[in-house]
Amino acid sequence: MKFKTPTIVAISMAIGIATGASVTAIAAQPNMKSALDHLIIADAFLAKATDNKGGHKSKARSLISVAIQEVRAGIRYAN
C-alpha cells in the first residue's frame, strides 16, 4: 500500500495529537500515573512467581488487570 505525502502527514499529526493528549492526561495526574506504574510492576512480579499458589496468583493477576483498566479509565475521564 502506498500513501501520498498529505496522507502520511495527516496520520502522523493524528498520532502525535493522540499521544500528546494521553501524555498530558497522565502528567496532570501524578498519583494515578504512580498507581498505574505500581500495578504494572506488581503484575510483572507475579508473572515471574512460581506455581499458581492454589489459584491465588492467577486471581491476583486477573484483579490487577481489572485495576489497570480502571485506573486508565479514570485518567481518561478526568481529562
Side-chain angles (χ1 to χ4, degrees), residues 37-78:
D37 290 344
H38 283 83
L39 286 165
I40 291 168
I41 291 168
D43 188 53
F45 276 107
L46 282 170
K48 293 179 186 178
T50 58
D51 300 318
N52 195 19
K53 319 295 187 216
H56 296 288
K57 173 184 159 181
S58 173
K59 178 72 173 184
R61 292 196 70 206
S62 176
L63 292 169
I64 287 173
S65 177
V66 171
I68 288 170
Q69 291 172 18
E70 290 299 321
V71 171
R72 287 180 173 152
I75 291 169
R76 284 190 306 272
Y77 177 82

